[in-house]
Structure formats: structure tokens, C-alpha cells
Amino acid sequence: MGKPVTFKVYGNGSDYLWDLGDGTMASGPSVTHTYQTPGIYRVVVKSREGNTLRELSSAIVRVHTPETVHLPQVILDTDARNEQDDQHYIAYALFSEVDVLAINSVHHGPHRVNHGGQFQEDINYGEIHFIIMLARNSGLLNHRPENLLPMVFHGARRPLEVPASGRWEDTEPVRSEASEAILAAARGASPDNPVWVLPVGPCTNVASAILQAREEGLDIKNRIKVCWLGGSPEQVHVRSFNGENDPWSVYVVAQSSVEFWIILEWPTGASLRIDKRVESHLYPDNPLGRYLKAIVPEGPKPLFDPTTMAMVIGRHLGKKWLTQLEPVVVLGPDQGYRWKKVETPTNVYLVRGIDAQAMKEDLFNTLNGKPSPLRKR
């Protein structure tokens, strides 16, 4: 905040027009602007073609104070209405001190036709907005001001298709608001504080963003990191609902050289669980807490998805919440999308063990208004 930033556009267009996100408009191939208020801004550059304006590109930027400049930045990516764990993960992120730049919806595959069919992405999108509304009604704005609320984007409605060549580089991305938002956040990030993308459904959105970045020659290797909840002990798409819904997207992310962390759905993510019969007191007595408690079934229930948020928080704090890591490569469909442990340098790490109790305590402390301190005090 208070320091000038310069945006440039590269291309063959003309008559560039800029919306800098805070009500300021500008023109030209390069503009310099000073933000006076901290917050999350979407910067858009357009080109005039006759009497119409065409959006060319965008960047999501976080304008900081000195106390917040090193906060972890995340984009949530969720099939939010598929189960109950997604809602816990969204709430955990919102009430944490992590910078949540955006929340994306995504399909949850062809396997649950009774969960919305072709409209499942729309239903997931609506659930994100519903959780944000409940969070606001539960005091969120006392913790996260209006200009720091995340933007919400529609995601892919279908999985990636394996190209005829079998080469991941030839995959056609499923373009969506969400894939564009991930790219926009990468443009606005700095390599010393990359954006974590946390898919807790299929990896379609983030894989598509990576493919789109390759098309335009944008190197995002040091601008985003990915932590996915999915997979089973041996492979991507067996005993893993998230893996079944787009296994090729997991392969694409793994091949891309982007840093890729995988918290196994079973048994790792499943080890963080709640039993409402004896632990209902853990939920706060507010609209969000009551909703979360209501949608969790009776008996022990794995919560899965919050482990991705806990990983980001734990790593930022230097906590040893990841107890068993394995460097791997991800094999292709001809080899069953299996993990292969390697001793050579890799960009992919399996999380086989976690301190589930520590993660659970941080989750529920955060929901009750006592998040782990991440800001500089």
C-alpha cells in the first residue's frame, strides 16, 4: 500500500484500457498506479476493437500493509456441495489469517448423477456463496474486511480429455472463470510469496490454468504451488472420489514441474475426523457453526479437505504436522496412474502421514475465532 506498481501488456493490440480494481481507470500499454487501501484487486486490461471492448487479460493482486506482506496466499478450488468436508475447509480458510484470494467451483465428475447431473458445478458455486453468507452472518467481517473477501469464480463443468497423442502437453484445457482466476493470481504473485492452489475435488481447474499458461508463454513454476486432496496409497483414481473424477488432470499437474503436494484421500485425509455424538460442542454457536454441525452425519465422519489448509498454515508456522512424506512421480494411464517413489529430484510429494489431532485442533480453534497467528504483530 502506498507504493507504485507498474502493469504492462504485451501483444499486438491497440488502444488499451485498464480497470485497476479500485475504481481507477487508465489507458496505454503501460500504467503505473499507487493503491491507497489494502485489499484484493482484480486488474483487467481491455482492447478497443471498433465500438466494442475485448478483455485481454487480468491479474489478481493483493495490496499489503507491512504486517500482512508475508501471509500465505491461497485459492480454494472445491466441489462444495458434494460432501460436508468442503464446507469445513471453506470456513476454516475464511476465519484463518491466510489471504484467500478466490474460491473456485468445479464439477464432481460423472459418478454421482444424483448430485446435480449437468448442473453440479452451478450447485457447487451456489454453496460457496451460501457458506460466505453464513460466515458474514457469523462475524466474518469483524475478522476479514469487505475488501479482503475472496472473489468467487465458476469452474470447469467436465473433466479434461486425454489427447490422442497421449502427451500431456497436447491436452486441451477446459477454460473457465476459475482457470482464468488461477492464471490471474499467478500474474499478480511474486516468486517469494507464490499462491497456493488447494483443489479438494478434481484438478481440472488448476491443470487447465497450467495448460493455458504454457500456451501464452507464461512461466508460473515459481508463482503457484498446488496441494491436492485425493488419491489412495497406490494410485490416483482407486478408492479416491476426487481422483476418479479427472485422473488425467492430476497427471498434467504432476508433469508440469509446478510444486505439487498430494494429501492422500485415504487413509491420510480420512484420519482427520469428527464424531458429532460426542464432539458437537466443538462447533461455534453461530449460523455457520450450526450449519456445519447439521450437515455432518451422526457417527465418526472423515473431514478430509481441511487438511490442505492445515498444511499451508502448518508449513508457514514451521509445525511438524506432516509426519510422512514420499517424493514420487505420477505414472500415466497406461501404468494405472500409479505413484512411483523416486530418489532423484522431483516436484511431487505424497503426504502419507499427518498429525491429525493438531490439524483438528487448529481447525476448530479457528472456527471459534482463535486462528493461529500468522500476521506480524
Side-chain angles (χ1 to χ4, degrees), residues 236-253:
V236 171
H237 63 322
V238 174
R239 287 197 70 207
S240 170
F241 180 73
N242 292 345
E244 290 175 357
N245 289 333
D246 192 351
W248 183 254
S249 68
V250 179
Y251 181 72
V252 167
V253 178

Side-chain angles (χ1 to χ4, degrees), residues 121-142:
E121 185 276 327
D122 288 315
I123 294 170
N124 293 333
Y125 179 84
E127 184 75 355
I128 294 168
H129 279 287
F130 185 58
I131 295 299
I132 292 175
M133 182 196 74
L134 289 176
R136 293 177 69 146
N137 293 341
S138 302
L140 177 62
L141 291 182
N142 299 329

Side-chain angles (χ1 to χ4, degrees), residues 41-282:
Y41 300 95
R42 182 170 179 261
V43 179
V44 179
V45 61
K46 302 179 181 181
S47 178
R48 189 183 301 279
E49 298 179 355
N51 294 323
T52 63
L53 289 175
R54 182 171 67 92
E55 183 173 319
L56 297 178
S57 189
S58 62
I60 295 175
V61 297
R62 168 67 158 101
V63 177
H64 287 280
T65 63
E67 294 76 25
T68 66
V69 71
H70 295 298
L71 289 179
Q73 303 181 106
V74 303
I75 291 181
L76 308 186
D77 199 272
T78 167
D79 53 352
R81 194 61 187 273
N82 167 50
E83 269 241 29
Q84 303 83 28
D85 44 344
D86 301 78
Q87 293 90 334
H88 286 73
Y89 138 100
I90 296 171
Y92 186 14
L94 290 175
F95 280 95
S96 74
E97 291 192 353
V98 168
D99 271 333
V100 186
L101 303 184
I103 307 179
N104 299 329
S105 61
V106 71
H107 68 90
H108 48 259
H111 306 285
R112 293 191 178 181
V113 293
N114 60 329
H115 278 222
Q118 63 178 317
F119 303 108
Q120 59 187 229
E121 185 276 327
D122 288 315
I123 294 170
N124 293 333
Y125 179 84
E127 184 75 355
I128 294 168
H129 279 287
F130 185 58
I131 295 299
I132 292 175
M133 182 196 74
L134 289 176
R136 293 177 69 146
N137 293 341
S138 302
L140 177 62
L141 291 182
N142 299 329
H143 168 74
R144 193 178 291 275
E146 191 80 41
N147 63 336
L148 284 173
L149 291 182
M151 293 168 261
V152 182
F153 297 98
H154 278 288
R157 293 171 175 264
R158 60 175 177 83
L160 295 179
E161 294 182 5
V162 181
S165 68
R167 291 166 46 87
W168 73 271
E169 303 97 321
D170 297 334
T171 307
E172 183 66 28
V174 178
R175 299 172 191 273
S176 65
E177 290 180 358
S179 65
E180 294 288 349
I182 294 168
L183 268 182
R187 294 187 187 103
S190 60
D192 62 339
N193 190 11
V195 175
W196 281 95
V197 185
L198 308 179
V200 295
C203 284
T204 315
N205 290 335
V206 66
S208 295
I210 290 168
L211 292 164
Q212 289 173 235
R214 284 178 57 85
E215 287 179 357
E216 68 177 59
L218 175 64
D219 184 2
I220 61 174
K221 177 181 177 181
N222 296 317
R223 292 179 174 271
I224 70 168
K225 298 181 180 182
V226 180
C227 179
W228 176 58
L229 186 285
S232 64
E234 301 299 329
Q235 56 208 116
V236 171
H237 63 322
V238 174
R239 287 197 70 207
S240 170
F241 180 73
N242 292 345
E244 290 175 357
N245 289 333
D246 192 351
W248 183 254
S249 68
V250 179
Y251 181 72
V252 167
V253 178
Q255 303 306 308
S256 71
S257 79
V258 167
E259 190 172 313
F260 189 23
W261 295 74
I262 299 169
I263 299 179
L264 294 178
E265 197 169 330
W266 291 95
T268 312
S271 65
L272 196 165
R273 57 182 56 223
I274 185 80
D275 189 336
K276 191 169 69 174
R277 297 170 301 180
V278 295
E279 295 181 302
S280 62
H281 63 282
L282 295 177

Side-chain angles (χ1 to χ4, degrees), residues 228 230-235 260-264 268 324-330 339-341 348-353:
W228 176 58
S232 64
E234 301 299 329
Q235 56 208 116
F260 189 23
W261 295 74
I262 299 169
I263 299 179
L264 294 178
T268 312
Q324 187 180 357
L325 299 178
E326 185 175 298
V328 300
V329 295
V330 180
W339 322 120
K340 180 181 177 182
K341 186 176 181 180
V348 186
Y349 300 90
L350 282 188
V351 180
R352 290 193 178 271

